[in-house]
Amino acid sequence: MVRIRTACATLALVGATVGVAAVPAGAAPAVTRAATQATACPTGWGSLPKTGTSGTISPVTNIRTGRHTCFDRMVVDVPGGGSAVGYSVRYVDRLYQDGSGRQIPVAGGAVLEVRVAAPAYDPETGAATYPARAGRPLPGVELTGYRTFRDTRFAGSFEGETQIGLGVRARLPFRVLQLDGHVIVDVAHSWTGAS
């Protein structure tokens, strides 16, 4: 009787070992990667306008972009602006420059208007603190290889607000973050959360 139990236990152990060995070596990591990607890309941002009502007289000094696994990112640097630099970000049919009302063409399937409640000039001297020209692409920003971003346009700085046009592939979900001295706009690569 003991030999039969030992033989059955041995067969069960061998069967379990063979079953694990039969799974292809790459299968487990692929499943783990797929699960990680599905949970790593948020989908609940939405595409409705987002605002933060603070403001600052600290000026914008730089605007830069970056690529991430789930989204493309634009960062507006406002050193000294604190953690509550005001903003308004929304999809628009066309970008119109504040003050003049002039339309500024922005390439892409959709246009995000990004307004930051900070000037792009020194409020005391009027000297530019960010070297951009109205209607032109953002200086130093190269979008080759981006999955979502298609174009950037500086619309200007008027009455203490800086206005930017961000051309994107489509009306995709986006979020806005405020960090110390930065306003960050992330636009998702898709609605489904797939990277």
Side-chain angles (χ1 to χ4, degrees):
M1 185 73 136
V2 172
R3 285 186 185 166
I4 293 174
R5 283 187 195 156
T6 304
C8 287
T10 303
L11 283 174
L13 185 58
V14 169
T17 304
V18 170
V20 170
V23 175
V31 170
T32 303
R33 270 193 309 272
T36 301
Q37 286 177 347
T39 59
C41 294
T43 59
W45 298 345
S47 62
L48 295 177
K50 294 164 180 61
T51 59
T53 57
S54 300
T56 182
I57 60 168
S58 297
V60 172
T61 59
N62 193 28
I63 302 172
R64 52 200 163 89
T65 60
R67 295 180 291 172
H68 295 266
T69 301
C70 300
F71 53 85
D72 289 348
R73 170 171 281 179
M74 182 174 75
V75 179
V76 181
D77 295 325
V78 187
S83 60
V85 177
Y87 63 85
S88 171
V89 181
R90 66 188 179 117
Y91 281 106
V92 294
D93 293 330
R94 291 177 183 80
L95 181 67
Y96 293 99
Q97 183 182 44
D98 283 348
S100 73
R102 177 176 74 122
Q103 181 183 342
I104 297 176
V106 182
V111 177
L112 267 175
E113 178 185 49
V114 178
R115 293 172 178 269
V116 177
Y121 54 83
D122 182 319
E124 293 190 20
T125 66
T129 57
Y130 177 63
R133 293 180 47 208
R136 307 287 300 168
L138 299 178
V141 172
E142 172 56 54
L143 299 179
T144 302
Y146 281 69
R147 290 187 54 193
T148 299
F149 290 175
R150 296 294 182 257
D151 192 14
T152 61
R153 297 290 162 165
F154 186 73
S157 195
F158 182 72
E159 294 184 350
E161 277 196 0
T162 298
Q163 183 186 22
I164 303 139
L166 180 60
V168 297
R169 182 170 42 84
R171 278 187 184 240
L172 293 161
F174 70 93
R175 70 178 174 184
V176 182
L177 305 171
Q178 293 171 308
L179 298 177
D180 193 26
H182 310 285
V183 173
I184 300 167
V185 180
D186 294 334
V187 183
H189 291 161
S190 72
W191 275 97
T192 63
S195 61

